[in-house]
């Protein structure tokens, strides 16, 4: 059963505020970190960092915390390490051939154009506009292939169109009001190289929501936006990749910055509720409208 522990800080690996209760302690609902009930999470973070610095990708008998093999990958990537044949080593920037794919409304094409122009290092850039024809906006995206198709109330279908347009390789999908922070941009190459080595198809990125300029409590707000082009999404709203769990992973080195206004948050809840039976998610709205706090939600 998931609970929100009133005195528990957010997870030192992923920043998640929610924990499963277990015998003698708790387990992070996102990254799988297990901790004893009375251990200081700062000590857990320090212990993980010490082990990664020593090259270890496993805990010790004296530790009062534990990580699965997948959990060690989550922690290693979070702290800019990769695990190669059981040894943790610092990650190094790697060139990549990722496609940048942007989904936008017509009213946000100016923001989308600035996003495309401001992000260097991508092998290809593709823009998909929620419209019937892209002709009037094509000149705004000289560096990108521009396409149009009505959203028609189905986010998964629109993301699948972007995946198909990318063709092959890895695809980073962003909306026009999102932007990868510098750390994520610098990590993309080694993240997909490590993912390919581990046979992964889909990576979940942290998203940091800034509502009217204020960081919100809805963090890390995992979004599976870095995927192989053959991956397809399901779900008309709150879409997710149709990928076996073993072929996906969290990739928490950096985050997607997402800027929106409180009025849009409220409007989005109503719109998503009309799109799908479970689309409204009032708990997400509540967290979006509450400022970020290092303590788990009370």
């Amino acid at each position: 059963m998931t609970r929100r522990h009133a005195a528990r800080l957010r997870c030192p690996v992923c920043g998640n505020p929610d924990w499963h209760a277990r015998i003698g302690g708790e387990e992070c609902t996102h990254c799988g970190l297990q901790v004893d009930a009375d251990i200081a999470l700062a000590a857990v973070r320090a212990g993980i960092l010490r082990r990664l610095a020593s090259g270890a990708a496993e805990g010790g008998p004296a530790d009062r915390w534990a990580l699965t093999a997948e959990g060690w990958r989550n922690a290693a990537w979070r702290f800019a390490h990769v695990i190669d044949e059981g040894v943790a080593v610092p990650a190094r920037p790697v060139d990549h051939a990722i496609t940048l794919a942007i989904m936008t409304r017509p009213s946000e094409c100016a923001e989308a154009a600035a996003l495309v122009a401001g992000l260097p290092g991508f092998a290809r850039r593709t823009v998909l506009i929620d419209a019937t024809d892209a002709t009037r906006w094509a000149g705004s995206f000289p560096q990108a292939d521009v396409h149009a198709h009505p959203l028609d109330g189905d986010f998964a279908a629109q993301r699948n169109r972007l995946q198909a347009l990318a063709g092959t390789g890895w695809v980073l999908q962003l909306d026009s009001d999102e932007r990868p922070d510098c750390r994520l941009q610098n990590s993309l190459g080694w993240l997909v190289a490590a993912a390919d080595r581990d046979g992964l198809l889909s990576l979940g990125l942290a998203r940091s929501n800034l509502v009217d300029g204020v960081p919100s409590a809805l963090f890390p707000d995992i979004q599976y936006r870095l995927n192989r082009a053959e991956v397809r999404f399901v779900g008309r709203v709150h879409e997710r990749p149709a990928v076996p769990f073993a072929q996906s992973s969290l990739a928490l080195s950096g985050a997607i910055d997402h800027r929106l206004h409180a009025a849009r948050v409220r409007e989005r809840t109503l719109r998503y509720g009309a799109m799908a039976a479970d689309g409204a998610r009032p708990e997400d709205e509540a967290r979006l409208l509450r400022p970020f706090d290092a303590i788990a939600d009370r």
Side-chain angles (χ1 to χ4, degrees):
M1 179 177 181
T2 302
R3 64 171 173 171
R4 296 172 187 168
H5 194 300
R8 176 63 80 192
L9 294 171
R10 289 171 176 266
C11 174
V13 173
C14 69
N16 170 42
D18 292 333
W19 301 82
H20 288 304
R22 64 178 185 86
I23 296 175
E26 295 178 303
E27 179 178 345
C28 175
T29 62
H30 279 9
C31 71
L33 172 68
Q34 298 177 11
V35 298
D36 285 357
D38 57 348
I39 191 172
L41 293 185
V44 176
R45 184 180 190 276
I48 293 171
L49 287 171
R50 280 196 301 271
R51 293 198 175 276
L52 290 174
S54 73
E58 58 184 10
D63 292 330
R64 297 174 59 208
W65 50 269
L67 286 163
T68 63
E70 293 78 12
W72 271 108
R73 181 172 59 208
N74 292 335
W77 288 3
R78 162 66 177 84
F79 297 116
H81 282 67
V82 292
I83 299 174
D84 190 2
E85 297 184 352
V87 178
V89 297
R92 298 285 183 263
V94 176
D95 290 338
H96 62 76
I98 297 172
T99 295
L100 175 65
I102 307 297
M103 190 164 70
T104 184
R105 307 184 202 187
S107 61
E108 295 172 351
C109 278
E111 291 85 351
L115 178 63
V116 169
L119 293 178
F122 288 92
R124 183 183 175 198
R125 296 165 175 82
T126 300
V127 175
L128 181 58
I129 303 169
D130 176 12
T132 56
D133 183 77
T135 304
R136 62 177 291 192
W137 297 286
S140 300
F141 299 93
Q143 300 169 298
D145 300 321
V146 185
H147 305 266
H149 196 288
L151 178 69
D152 286 335
D154 191 330
F155 283 101
Q158 196 79 328
R159 293 207 184 279
N160 290 339
R161 293 178 187 106
L162 269 174
Q163 291 291 103
L165 288 168
T168 61
W170 284 89
V171 186
L172 174 64
Q173 285 209 26
L174 298 173
D175 297 342
S176 54
D177 56 2
E178 298 173 334
R179 187 181 185 92
D181 66 15
C182 289
R183 187 176 177 216
L184 177 55
Q185 290 181 61
N186 292 333
S187 301
L188 290 172
W190 63 259
L191 282 173
V192 298
D196 282 337
R197 186 176 61 243
D198 289 354
L200 302 175
L201 301 176
S202 178
L203 300 183
L205 309 177
R207 184 167 69 174
S208 176
N209 297 287
L210 288 86
V211 180
D212 294 332
V214 178
S216 85
L218 186 58
F219 180 85
D221 192 17
I222 302 300
Q223 303 290 315
Y224 282 84
R225 298 289 193 80
L226 187 55
N227 298 280
R228 297 287 305 182
E230 62 266 28
V231 168
R232 292 297 180 264
F233 288 81
V234 294
R236 295 178 64 84
V237 65
H238 306 302
E239 64 281 2
R240 60 202 180 278
V243 171
F245 178 78
Q247 292 180 290
S248 66
S249 178
L250 299 181
L252 303 172
S253 184
I256 297 170
D257 289 333
H258 182 210
R259 297 181 178 273
L260 63 169
H261 299 289
R264 182 163 181 180
V265 171
R266 297 184 180 95
E267 179 272 334
R268 189 179 75 163
T269 300
L270 295 174
R271 183 160 60 97
Y272 287 3
M275 291 170 66
D278 61 347
R281 292 191 180 178
E283 67 278 11
D284 282 2
E285 177 181 304
R287 283 190 174 180
L288 280 167
L289 297 177
R290 185 164 58 250
F292 179 89
D293 192 328
I295 306 293
D297 293 341
R298 291 179 289 275

